[in-house]
Amino acid sequence: MQLLLVDDEKDFVETLAERLSLRGFQADWVTSAKAAEEIIKTKKYDLVLLDVKMPHVGGRELKRIIEKQQPDIKTIYLTGHGSEEDYQAGSAEAEHYLMKPININHLIEKIHDALGKKED
Amino acid sequence: MTLSIDPVGEAGLKFYSKISASISHEIKNSLAVINESAGYLEDVSLMAKKGMAIDVNRMEALAGSMLKQVRRADTITKNMNRLAHSLDEPVCQTDLNALIELMLRLSERTTVTRGIKVSAVFSEPAVTLFTNPFFLQNLIWLILNFAMDLTGDTKAIEMTPAKTASGADIRFTGIHQLTTAAGKTFQEGPVRSILAVLKSTLQFDEKSGIIILQLPDTINK
């Protein structure tokens, strides 16, 4: 499974990608929307994990940009933000919406669940 | 039943809640990094028990990352604590440099997310006023939020405090799309009420893209 992780917290996204790689995922990571836009032009992904709040272009806007390039891609939002409004909007748009800090086993469950939905 | 909230109190609560939400978001980010680092150490420990070699340099980097995040979270909570204590007294001697620096830190996540660089040129020596620090912070927050939409392509705002004959002023520069109409609208509602509490005024220089907040040396007169 090809995963792309996008989060402006480098230490977070780098370590999470390493942990997912240890569990058999092919996980690439970038720290900005701009870098994500570049990488999706060259590589196909099954799922993208997006930080909702990022400088310049946030996760929700980036999702729309990525889907123009790769319409079948599945999305999981990650956020430290806990507002009910964000949660409702995010849950409606993405396969899943997870709050940081995350439990890796829970995340993997959600990744399988999202990609299972894709196969349906 | 009707609910009556005075505009200054309402603006103060909104400001406090916005900052609290931003701070909790920042702390969650620090916790997330620490969580992943600890999780990675756990993963590697399990693999080491099965005979896999440990990358000592990576371990060192993870420890450094966790320490950095603890310091970051500690700074964030200290700043939040300073904001909370700014409500202790209705009027007190207030160092403008320190207050502006605190506002820079508290609003950093919001300004960075919006792609705006906010900076300050501090006065030397520092200017002190007898004012209500909480509502002055609230007013600076409102001005920054207003100004952030009007920077144009430069996407940068600079705050400069300076001593004046009657107290001090704070100049907000870089607001290139400032208009008379926008300035008028901004001064309605809570801003007007907070200006009255602080016995202060706002001046708008649309041509230069500057807002000047004029503050008295004391609000007790």
Side-chain angles (χ1 to χ4, degrees), chain B residues 9 13 19 21 34 43 51 63 70 85 88 96 101 111 113 123 130 134 157 159 161 164 174 204-205 217:
Chain B
L13 276 174
I19 295 290
I34 295 167
D43 292 346
V70 169
H85 281 295
D88 288 352
L96 266 192
E101 190 189 6
T111 58
T113 302
S123 58
F130 280 90
F134 179 77
I157 299 166
M159 290 187 277
T164 63
F204 296 82
D205 180 347
D217 56 1

Side-chain angles (χ1 to χ4, degrees), chain B residues 1-217:
Chain B
M1 193 180 95
T2 57
L3 185 63
S4 172
I5 303 173
D6 77 274
V8 175
E10 187 179 358
L13 276 174
K14 278 184 180 168
F15 164 60
Y16 200 80
S17 64
K18 284 273 184 198
I19 295 290
S20 300
S22 173
I23 291 292
S24 64
H25 182 255
E26 279 289 277
I27 291 172
K28 287 260 242 172
N29 273 334
S30 283
L31 289 173
V33 177
I34 295 167
N35 183 63
E36 290 318 311
S37 301
Y40 187 80
L41 288 175
E42 193 177 50
D43 292 346
V44 173
S45 301
L46 288 172
M47 290 191 297
K49 280 180 186 168
K50 291 177 185 169
M52 219 177 126
I54 287 181
D55 179 350
V56 178
N57 290 334
R58 183 71 183 112
M59 297 299 103
E60 196 179 357
L62 282 173
S65 171
M66 286 194 275
L67 288 170
K68 188 175 88 181
Q69 294 303 323
V70 169
R71 285 195 294 271
R72 176 186 174 191
D74 183 52
T75 302
I76 293 165
T77 48
K78 275 178 185 159
N79 289 335
M80 190 65 203
N81 188 266
R82 283 172 66 195
L83 176 69
H85 281 295
S86 69
L87 279 157
D88 288 352
E89 293 175 64
V91 181
C92 65
Q93 190 169 23
T94 304
D95 177 332
L96 266 192
N97 283 353
L99 185 139
I100 288 170
E101 190 189 6
L102 179 62
M103 282 313 299
L104 284 175
R105 289 174 187 272
L106 290 172
S107 62
E108 192 176 7
R109 180 79 196 174
T110 305
T111 58
V112 167
T113 302
R114 288 172 68 172
I116 309 288
K117 182 179 165 36
V118 181
S119 59
V121 178
F122 297 111
S123 58
E124 196 61 54
V127 182
T128 57
L129 304 170
F130 280 90
T131 190
N132 181 304
F134 179 77
F135 285 112
L136 180 52
Q137 287 159 160
N138 191 167
L139 186 56
I140 291 171
W141 168 261
L142 289 169
I143 294 169
L144 285 177
N145 271 279
F146 168 71
M148 276 193 281
D149 288 331
L150 302 172
T151 58
D153 292 336
T154 54
K155 296 193 177 302
I157 299 166
E158 191 171 82
M159 290 187 277
T160 309
K163 191 170 175 54
T164 63
S166 58
D169 63 30
I170 304 172
R171 284 169 182 265
F172 298 80
T173 56
I175 314 160
H176 302 298
Q177 294 176 343
L178 183 64
T179 62
T180 309
K184 264 188 185 171
T185 308
F186 176 64
Q187 285 197 86
E188 291 166 3
V191 171
R192 180 183 296 171
S193 306
I194 297 170
L195 283 170
V197 168
L198 297 174
K199 296 181 178 168
S200 302
T201 55
L202 283 175
Q203 275 192 352
F204 296 82
D205 180 347
E206 296 84 5
K207 203 174 169 188
S208 306
I210 298 172
I211 296 176
I212 304 166
L213 171 60
Q214 296 170 312
L215 303 155
D217 56 1

